[in-house]
Amino acid sequence: MDLMTDQIFAEDYQKEKYNARHVKELADAWDPAKCDPLKVGYENGKYYVFCGQHRRAAAIIANNGNPIKLPCIVFYGTTYADRARMFAEEDDLKYNTTPRQKYNALYLAGDEEMNGICTAIERSGYTCAFSRQGGDVDCTVLARNIYRKHGSEFLTELFTVIYDAWGKQKKATTSNIVKGMAFFLERYGRTYISESDRIVYKSDIMVKGLKRLSPEIILDRAKATIDRSLRADHIGWDYAVCLELVKAYNAVCTGRGSANRLDSRIMLNEAS
């Protein structure tokens, strides 16, 4: 089915993906014969594109700003949520859709998992990059994997400790810091360990220890551990960052507080 471009509308879940440079490149090399059909949904008398917004924009530019007829595949009976999900499910490699763009579309479609991840993160004080422009936490795939493995309370606790220690400092929520904190909580968190004789960390001590350092220092020391280790093929960023977190924690467990010190051998045994 052919439709005029002024009959086709874009929706807000695509704003995250819109690339003006890509549109210009398409317009400069525009060939109507090579234009793949746009995928559009039909609802209440209107057509909404969920695959092809760049082709639509490029065609208009190539036609001197005037509407132009384009081939379309029409999906009838769709809702906004349906179209957002179909947008998120389009071929990542062909259409260069990033995880954040996909998750943003699913979030706007009311996806239960994406809303759960966003809520868990925002309870900590951070904002989620896929739910709002300029959000603090951008390691979207990692956050989803942690959420799927441990649930919302774990994810909230993880980001709350980081936020209370470092706030919105640069690199505070980078993927390697988040990996290391997840690794730490899996071994020392109050509800995630099974051994009764294992000391459970205290969040206030962790925050106090981390406030004496910066995310950059933790990452630099972790990298040095990986670089100099003879077991480098067995030690990843999660282990190396966790080791620095344990050191930071134990550094403030002095005097009467020494009973709260954590045993790093637990981490070593479980990483081997």
Side-chain angles (χ1 to χ4, degrees):
M1 179 178 184
D2 291 342
L3 293 170
M4 296 296 292
T5 51
D6 58 358
Q7 294 178 274
I8 306 168
F9 301 92
E11 296 178 289
D12 58 358
Y13 55 80
Q14 299 185 67
K15 291 179 181 178
E16 177 76 20
K17 185 181 177 181
Y18 187 82
N19 186 325
R21 181 178 177 181
H22 181 49
V23 169
K24 184 179 183 303
E25 290 172 350
L26 289 175
D28 290 344
W30 186 254
D31 182 350
K34 295 182 179 179
C35 179
D36 291 337
L38 281 61
K39 294 180 182 179
V40 302
Y42 180 82
E43 183 181 17
N44 296 328
K46 290 186 178 181
Y47 297 95
Y48 299 95
V49 60
F50 61 86
C51 178
Q53 62 160 333
H54 294 104
R55 279 167 280 160
R56 173 185 174 274
I60 295 171
I61 293 173
N63 199 39
N64 298 315
N66 299 312
I68 186 173
K69 189 177 291 185
L70 293 176
C72 298
I73 299 173
V74 181
F75 294 75
Y76 291 95
T78 63
T79 65
Y80 174 92
D82 293 332
R83 294 187 294 274
R85 289 191 178 91
M86 287 190 285
F87 166 84
E89 291 166 1
E90 283 299 317
D91 189 326
D92 296 352
L93 296 178
K94 184 175 181 180
Y95 298 108
N96 299 313
T97 304
T98 66
R100 186 175 72 179
Q101 291 163 354
K102 290 177 63 174
Y103 295 172
N104 173 255
L106 290 170
Y107 172 79
L108 292 173
D111 183 84
E112 183 177 350
E113 182 179 50
M114 292 303 113
N115 276 278
I117 293 169
C118 180
T119 299
I121 290 173
E122 294 192 345
R123 280 199 297 257
S124 71
Y126 287 120
T127 56
C128 192
F130 66 74
S131 69
R132 64 183 69 193
Q133 190 172 9
D136 306 307
V137 179
D138 198 23
C139 49
T140 50
V141 174
L142 177 59
R144 182 204 62 184
N145 291 341
I146 294 171
Y147 178 86
R148 287 182 173 180
K149 184 177 181 180
H150 295 294
S152 62
E153 290 186 10
F154 185 100
L155 196 62
T156 296
E157 180 175 358
L158 185 158
F159 281 107
T160 297
V161 171
I162 296 174
Y163 185 87
D164 289 348
W166 292 322
K168 298 189 178 183
Q169 288 186 46
K170 185 179 179 181
K171 296 188 178 182
T173 60
T174 55
S175 60
N176 287 330
I177 291 289
V178 174
K179 286 179 186 176
M181 186 62 73
F183 197 88
F184 177 89
L185 289 179
E186 287 172 346
R187 286 147 184 80
Y188 304 104
R190 64 182 183 278
T191 59
Y192 317 107
I193 59 176
S194 56
E195 293 86 345
S196 59
D197 59 342
R198 186 178 299 192
I199 294 176
V200 178
Y201 95 109
K202 298 182 187 303
S203 60
D204 58 331
I205 296 177
M206 182 82 267
V207 169
K208 182 179 179 181
L210 293 181
K211 280 186 173 181
R212 301 171 66 176
L213 305 170
S214 69
E216 288 91 343
I217 290 175
I218 293 289
L219 291 170
D220 287 346
R221 291 178 178 177
K223 186 177 185 303
T225 296
I226 294 172
D227 290 345
R228 68 171 176 264
S229 175
L230 296 178
R231 300 173 61 253
D233 57 330
H234 297 296
I235 295 178
W237 277 99
D238 51 358
Y239 173 90
V241 170
C242 182
L243 179 61
E244 296 307 319
L245 298 180
V246 171
K247 290 178 181 178
Y249 184 95
N250 287 340
V252 294
C253 293
T254 58
R256 293 182 180 179
S258 60
N260 293 313
R261 290 175 62 85
L262 303 176
D263 185 357
S264 62
R265 292 174 300 176
I266 293 170
M267 190 177 64
L268 180 64
N269 292 338
E270 293 185 3
S272 60

